[in-house]
Amino acid sequence: MFDNNLRGMIDDVRDGRMDRRAFVKRMIAVGLTAPLANQILAIGGVAMAQSPNPYKPTKRGGGGPLKLLWWQGPTLLNPHFATGTKDQDGSRIFYEPLASWDVDGHLNPILAAEIPSIQNGGLAADAKSVVWKLKPGVKWHDGKPVTADDLVFNWEYASDPATAAVSIETYSGLTVEKVDDLTVRINFKKPTPFWANAFVGAYGCIIPKHLFAEYKGGKSREAPNNLKPVGTGPYKFVEFKPGDLIRGEINPDYHMANRPSFDTIEMKGGGDAVSAARAVIQTGEYDFAWNIQVEDEVLLRLEKGGKGKSLFAVGGDIEFIAVNFTDPNTEVDGERSSIKTKHPILSDPRVRKALALLVDRESIKKVIYGRAGRATANYLNGPEEFVSKNTKWEFSVEKASALLEEAGWKVGSDGVREKDGKKLKFLYQTSINGPRQKTQAIVKQACQKAGIDVELKSVVASVFFSSDVANPDTYSHFYADIEMFQIPMTQPDPALHMRRYHSRNVATKENKWQGPNFPRWVNKDFDAAIDAAEIETDPLKRADLYIKGNDLMWQDTVMIPVMHRLAVEACSNTLRPALSGWANQTDNLQDWYRET
Amino acid sequence: MSQYILRRLMIAIPSLLGISLVLFVVLALAPGDPFSELATNPNVPPEVQAALRAKFGLDDPIYLRYLHWLSAMAQGDWGFSFVSRINVDTLILQRLPTTLYVIGSAQLLALLIAIPVGVYAATRPYSLFDQLANTFAFIGFSLPTFFTGILFILVFSVKLDWLPFVYTDVPGSGIPWLLEMIRQAIMPVMVLALFQAASMTRFVRSAMLDVIRLDYVTTARAKGLGQAKVIVKHVMRNAMIPVVTLIALQMPAVFGGAIVTEQIFRIPGIGSLLISSILANDTPVVMAVTFVFACLVVLFNLIADVLYGWLDPRISFR
């Protein structure tokens, strides 16, 4: 639609006729916000801008201690082994990537001298290679210089399957070659529109070759520096007790001027989210607490006259109800919910649509999520730039009843609909979690009004989210009719997020239920759109493809999106953190300071 | 006596083997796996998970894994944590001092309260002091520690702002450091000590009452011994036998930490290590901690038996 228009606009920005900010604003207006708008500009030949930095301190240090509370304490400090965000957050205090996503969704150079662009020769026009230049003079905490060899080593280390690094996916589809001491070239096997993945963000943290070279592959666990990080970050390692405490002190040789502001840093783990919020907001014992998943009502109460406040960072995490397309109650070759079966009731699209009409997002937001959630009709809510405008959610018991009526489900004597002597009954499972159980209750009530009998089931989170092949209660076995949980979006590009529902990823007994497509949804158009998007270099067409994928999921009611969830943090009134919904909370730690 | 101890230790070996086998099998059969976090992470391909499972030996049959664990344990290798990939003994040793300090102080304080109060109450049954002591004891052990813990936090941290409620390893040394370590331990120690002291007071009191009316006590009094001497030398010594059992069997708890209290105050002790390892399905850590626990129970049972003989020579070692 605005294809030509956009191209004109990119030219305008490049030639200086249009201000970059105006461009980004217009993109936001048409549904494509910051990170994508910037990626569009980058591929369109305009160098990426950096957000004006609000950092105020005029000297390094002197800010006193910074006390962070992570209610799940980091358990290891090697970014390539970091399984959860807690470990990434802990590693990130000491290790740094080439660049990270800042508050506005711009790529901000950390160890890189500049962000690659077509002008500076960093980006190839065919999107098949990227050249990164390291900032000269950066030193590891032990004084050794950071060079291109370190980058090449990180690629070798992470992509070696024997290392069993969790970052393997980021590094395995590419090669990294040294151009000179401070320059590397990343070569992609196919056009890669989302080029800012390797060496960027959480899995982009770089570990020193001189300390890890001997521990590549099978010996990776034995490296003494897995526990004693030597990085390039704003703080130097002092002490680490897994699950409990990380302590660091200021890095006097940090490579950014006047940074960091704090003299020491402490990240304390353990406890629960509510008391973490209390320690920051109410008593002020700590400066910042992460991931405060508590009901908004509790936060509002703590905030009254407290010493801190809640902060909300917008990312792309989605809480949804997934619909089973296969029959959970019939066994085929020793496998329930087999792809060879069809769900006896839910394979009728009218029933799925009716279910979607019975989710009262407004009540769910009001009662449970408050400021931390946004009602949504999309699976893909972020990065906000990919958000479809073609979908709309609605809550209507009448419309749902009409649809069910149309599908032949008549209300029986007990108020439950039936057809051919079969009751309209669903098993609705989720993980044990306060907000989820409340949501279940709200949905069940609406279903009852429409004549659907819903049986609720909740499974302990450690079982529900496990990859245990032998346990039938995991989300990926999906031995229920519908199920609800959250999928976090781990990077500001939808490729990984969307790829999950490709038909080649259906969870089956054969792949030990490791395939991420657990609704077992097969749609040729979706597959085609996702495959095309992965190599599409034209950012506009690419966004269209992902929006199409999202819309197909909506039309087919594969997922009933419930809530677009925001990250909630607790922060003291004087602390000025630099948070981004596209990054880990500690990603821009060098820019944190305290207002005096 | 040394022969008796030796014999008892020999008997302990098969029971510990049995315990370890049961623990291992239960843990192996328990649902959940240590890589659950990887499973929901789209960045981590299934092959990495499979490789990790194979590397950590999770795909081997249970008996092989048990034998492997047993032989490693016999050589002093406790295995390593799947979650933090560091050795289990390092992990436990990191946590042990804090547990011993906090839980140990609480037990000590509980004893210091319970013994004098229990003894004094028993010497004057149904007096005002006894009634008060009983009432407080009842209140004390009817209130669970998670309740008193949160109550203390609300009163002393939130309302009065006197004490911190997050227990952390404060850096530094010298007197200010010592004071800070004491200050932050006050609340957890009080919570635990009050709970323990309450039940122990009742126990000491009834043990004393059992003995205080025996004939030999009356005889001692008739001989003209003073009240204090009768109570301390004649009554207490005998009354302490069941109390010693109670205390000895609670000693493993000192090493094992107080799970609930450690969670509330974020005390980095063994108890919180155990709970977080259970939640993360970190089987090697759970196995090691519970096994150490079993060993301690066996050991302190033995110590209690030896102490009986010392307190009451009629109980002989055979």
Side-chain angles (χ1 to χ4, degrees):
Chain A
M1 40 169 195
F2 49 82
D3 212 41
N4 281 331
N5 230 334
L6 181 93
R7 251 161 265 286
M9 273 158 60
I10 293 175
D11 288 340
D12 286 350
V13 180
R14 187 166 42 211
D15 304 341
R17 283 190 300 270
M18 186 193 274
D19 162 298
R20 160 187 289 278
R21 267 179 176 260
F23 175 84
V24 173
K25 269 194 188 143
R26 283 196 197 187
M27 289 297 100
I28 291 169
V30 295
L32 311 161
T33 55
L36 186 78
N38 282 290
Q39 293 253 308
I40 289 177
L41 285 178
I43 290 184
V46 182
M48 222 183 255
Q50 290 164 40
S51 308
N53 206 313
Y55 189 76
K56 280 192 191 147
T58 48
K59 66 176 177 71
R60 193 194 307 280
L66 174 64
K67 296 177 85 180
L68 311 174
L69 200 53
W70 254 236
W71 55 270
Q72 277 179 8
T75 48
L76 49 83
L77 291 182
N78 182 332
H80 292 293
F81 294 156
T83 41
T85 36
K86 60 181 199 311
D87 299 329
Q88 294 171 354
D89 293 340
S91 311
R92 189 61 182 75
I93 298 176
F94 310 107
Y95 291 113
E96 296 186 307
L98 289 180
S100 70
W101 301 100
D102 73 9
V103 185
D104 294 336
H106 294 139
L107 210 49
N108 202 15
I110 302 280
L111 289 178
E114 58 185 0
I115 299 299
S117 66
I118 290 186
Q119 285 94 336
N120 67 22
L123 278 187
D126 61 358
K128 286 181 85 170
S129 69
V130 181
V131 174
W132 283 96
K133 282 199 172 67
L134 274 164
K135 199 186 272 184
V138 180
K139 288 194 175 78
W140 296 104
H141 289 159
D142 61 5
K144 297 228 164 53
V146 178
T147 69
D149 292 323
D150 289 308
L151 296 180
V152 175
F153 169 72
N154 272 263
W155 161 67
E156 287 169 352
Y157 180 88
S159 57
D160 183 346
T163 309
V166 294
S167 49
I168 185 167
E169 186 94 342
T170 306
Y171 293 95
S172 55
L174 44 86
T175 56
V176 178
E177 57 177 300
K178 178 178 172 178
V179 177
D180 62 48
D181 267 357
L182 291 175
T183 315
V184 291
R185 177 183 288 111
I186 301 176
N187 297 306
F188 302 110
K189 292 203 175 93
K190 53 186 186 186
T192 302
F194 187 64
W195 48 268
N197 188 16
F199 304 124
V200 172
Y203 290 138
C205 285
I206 296 152
I207 58 174
K209 180 183 181 183
H210 64 277
L211 295 174
F212 284 91
E214 284 176 50
Y215 301 98
K216 193 162 80 69
K219 283 167 76 189
S220 63
R221 192 188 73 81
E222 292 155 33
N225 292 96
N226 282 343
L227 297 172
K228 294 187 199 72
V230 174
T232 55
Y235 298 96
K236 283 169 108 164
F237 174 80
V238 173
E239 192 184 6
F240 172 48
K241 290 181 177 167
D244 171 39
L245 188 75
I246 295 179
R247 197 174 294 135
E249 61 183 16
I250 192 164
N251 174 7
D253 301 319
Y254 190 59
H255 55 81
M256 290 193 202
N258 302 334
R259 289 172 175 83
S261 167
F262 297 98
D263 301 310
T264 59
I265 186 168
E266 175 191 319
M267 185 186 264
K268 166 81 181 167
D272 60 295
V274 180
S275 77
R278 170 167 288 144
V280 172
I281 298 177
Q282 211 173 21
T283 68
E285 258 180 86
Y286 279 77
D287 296 313
F288 184 88
W290 149 96
N291 195 11
I292 305 300
Q293 295 173 321
V294 298
E295 281 157 46
D296 203 28
E297 192 194 323
V298 177
L299 288 177
L300 286 168
R301 212 167 50 224
L302 291 177
E303 279 173 26
K304 272 184 201 134
K307 293 173 180 159
K309 54 185 186 284
S310 325
L311 299 178
F312 301 88
V314 187
D317 299 355
I318 175 79
E319 178 90 18
F320 58 84
I321 300 172
V323 175
N324 199 344
F325 277 67
T326 58
D327 187 354
N329 301 313
T330 305
E331 208 173 281
V332 177
D333 303 332
E335 180 186 10
R336 288 164 64 187
S337 292
S338 157
I339 188 72
K340 291 169 195 143
T341 61
K342 266 204 157 68
H343 196 285
I345 303 172
L346 286 168
S347 49
D348 184 339
R350 288 170 298 190
V351 181
R352 299 199 299 268
K353 285 235 157 57
L355 260 180
L357 284 166
L358 292 169
V359 179
D360 184 359
R361 295 160 176 85
E362 211 165 276
S363 299
I364 295 170
K365 176 177 160 63
K366 204 154 64 188
V367 180
I368 304 163
Y369 292 95
R371 292 170 291 173
R374 294 176 175 177
T376 180
N378 290 315
Y379 168 69
L380 186 55
N381 289 281
E384 279 177 17
E385 58 273 17
F386 288 87
V387 177
S388 166
K389 300 279 171 199
N390 315 323
T391 56
K392 218 178 117 205
W393 67 270
E394 194 184 350
F395 170 64
S396 167
V397 178
E398 297 79 47
K399 281 190 186 169
S401 303
L403 270 173
L404 292 171
E405 204 71 35
E406 193 191 310
W409 293 94
K410 306 285 175 212
V411 181
S413 52
D414 54 353
V416 176
R417 288 176 189 275
E418 49 190 40
K419 181 176 161 184
D420 310 328
K422 223 167 43 184
K423 295 269 178 205
L424 187 52
K425 192 179 171 196
F426 294 126
L427 178 62
Y428 177 8
Q429 71 177 13
T430 188
S431 71
I432 294 181
N433 165 306
R436 276 189 195 131
Q437 263 69 65
K438 278 193 182 169
T439 310
Q440 269 188 327
I442 293 172
V443 173
K444 181 183 166 125
Q445 214 176 17
C447 284
Q448 254 164 357
K449 281 188 197 150
I452 305 175
D453 183 15
V454 176
E455 187 192 333
L456 300 182
K457 176 176 173 182
S458 34
V459 184
V460 188
S462 59
V463 171
F464 193 67
F465 294 116
S466 82
S467 56
D468 193 343
V469 176
N471 201 309
D473 284 331
T474 68
Y475 77 92
S476 59
H477 280 76
F478 203 174
Y479 291 172
D481 303 303
I482 52 177
E483 67 179 355
M484 174 170 71
F485 59 98
Q486 178 196 268
I487 286 191
M489 192 146 169
T490 51
Q491 54 178 215
D493 184 88
L496 280 173
H497 206 53
M498 296 302 279
R499 193 185 297 162
R500 303 173 70 105
Y501 305 102
H502 195 287
S503 62
R504 80 175 104 86
N505 289 332
V506 165
T508 61
K509 186 181 166 194
E510 226 162 51
N511 59 30
K512 295 188 174 160
W513 293 279
Q514 307 291 313
N517 181 354
F518 52 90
R520 282 103 166 152
W521 176 57
V522 178
N523 184 309
K524 292 275 163 307
D525 293 338
F526 180 84
D527 290 355
I530 296 309
D531 286 339
E534 300 215 334
I535 48 165
E536 179 57 64
T537 51
D538 183 321
L540 254 201
K541 284 187 190 151
R542 185 159 182 266
D544 273 349
L545 285 167
Y546 280 126
I547 289 174
K548 184 181 172 197
N550 175 75
D551 293 353
L552 282 168
M553 288 173 83
W554 171 250
Q555 281 152 23
D556 255 6
T557 328
V558 186
M559 307 266 177
I560 305 170
V562 179
M563 214 37 71
H564 171 201
R565 292 179 65 171
L566 314 187
V568 187
E569 333 290 346
C571 177
S572 96
N573 284 331
T574 53
L575 185 71
R576 297 287 174 268
L579 300 179
S580 161
W582 318 112
N584 281 47
Q585 274 72 10
T586 52
D587 249 14
N588 296 296
L589 203 57
Q590 73 280 351
D591 291 337
W592 291 31
Y593 67 98
R594 199 189 301 280
E595 195 88 62
T596 42
Chain B
M1 191 167 99
S2 55
Q3 226 181 12
Y4 169 79
I5 294 175
L6 202 68
R7 202 168 63 235
R8 284 285 306 266
L9 284 176
M10 295 305 282
I11 297 169
I13 291 174
S15 41
L16 284 177
L17 273 178
I19 292 169
S20 73
L21 184 66
V22 171
L23 282 176
F24 199 91
V25 172
V26 167
L27 282 178
L29 295 180
D33 77 320
F35 305 114
S36 53
E37 223 166 340
L38 297 182
T40 42
N41 188 339
N43 284 308
V44 181
E47 303 88 69
V48 171
Q49 270 180 64
L52 276 172
R53 289 188 75 91
K55 194 164 152 187
F56 292 173
L58 284 176
D59 290 333
D60 298 340
I62 293 180
Y63 73 93
L64 261 184
R65 277 156 63 192
Y66 176 69
L67 288 177
H68 184 79
W69 176 85
L70 194 67
S71 71
M73 196 75 175
Q75 293 160 35
D77 174 7
W78 297 33
F80 65 91
S81 155
F82 292 158
V83 171
S84 39
R85 308 196 189 189
I86 73 169
N87 290 336
V88 173
D89 45 355
T90 320
L91 211 52
I92 292 179
L93 286 178
Q94 254 176 12
R95 303 287 188 119
L96 200 59
T98 311
T99 299
L100 288 182
Y101 164 53
V102 177
I103 320 289
S105 324
Q107 289 279 353
L108 206 66
L109 187 62
L111 277 178
L112 289 179
I113 296 172
I115 293 181
V117 172
V119 169
Y120 192 74
T123 54
R124 285 165 184 71
Y126 309 108
S127 65
L128 181 67
F129 180 83
D130 188 30
Q131 307 263 14
L132 276 177
N134 272 330
T135 314
F136 279 113
F138 272 120
I139 296 172
F141 65 71
S142 339
L143 293 178
T145 49
F146 66 80
F147 178 81
T148 40
I150 290 176
L151 193 73
F152 272 44
I153 289 175
L154 286 178
V155 174
F156 296 109
S157 294
V158 177
K159 282 271 170 270
L160 299 171
D161 203 9
W162 287 352
L163 300 168
F165 73 89
V166 176
Y167 184 102
T168 182
D169 201 3
V170 276
S173 58
I175 300 292
W177 173 81
L178 195 69
L179 288 179
E180 186 53 38
M181 288 299 278
I182 292 173
R183 202 167 86 92
Q184 62 174 354
I186 292 175
M187 278 205 291
V189 168
M190 288 304 285
V191 164
L192 281 171
L194 289 181
F195 183 74
Q196 292 286 355
S199 55
M200 266 196 247
T201 307
R202 295 281 304 159
F203 207 79
V204 171
R205 179 183 175 272
S206 65
M208 289 289 291
L209 279 180
D210 277 347
V211 181
I212 213 161
R213 294 196 192 124
L214 291 182
D215 290 346
Y216 82 93
V217 180
T218 319
T219 314
R221 286 222 176 88
K223 284 196 295 188
L225 284 177
Q227 168 77 346
K229 220 170 192 174
V230 172
I231 297 294
V232 174
K233 277 205 145 173
H234 292 75
V235 184
M236 259 180 80
R237 184 159 176 157
N238 275 330
M240 281 303 120
I241 293 176
V243 178
V244 163
T245 319
L246 187 76
I247 295 166
L249 291 185
Q250 263 172 5
M251 285 310 282
V254 176
F255 289 86
I259 292 176
V260 177
T261 315
E262 287 186 7
Q263 279 297 105
I264 296 173
F265 294 100
R266 292 182 163 78
I267 300 167
I270 306 278
S272 65
L273 175 69
L274 183 62
I275 193 100
S276 62
S277 306
I278 290 173
L279 290 177
N281 290 302
D282 198 354
T283 29
V285 182
V286 179
M287 186 66 204
V289 173
T290 44
F291 187 66
V292 167
F293 215 65
C295 292
L296 288 171
V297 171
V298 169
L299 179 71
F300 279 97
N301 255 315
L302 176 61
I303 292 176
D305 286 349
V306 173
L307 280 178
Y308 291 164
W310 174 72
L311 283 165
D312 185 348
R314 285 173 302 175
I315 303 172
S316 58
F317 301 110
R318 261 191 309 236

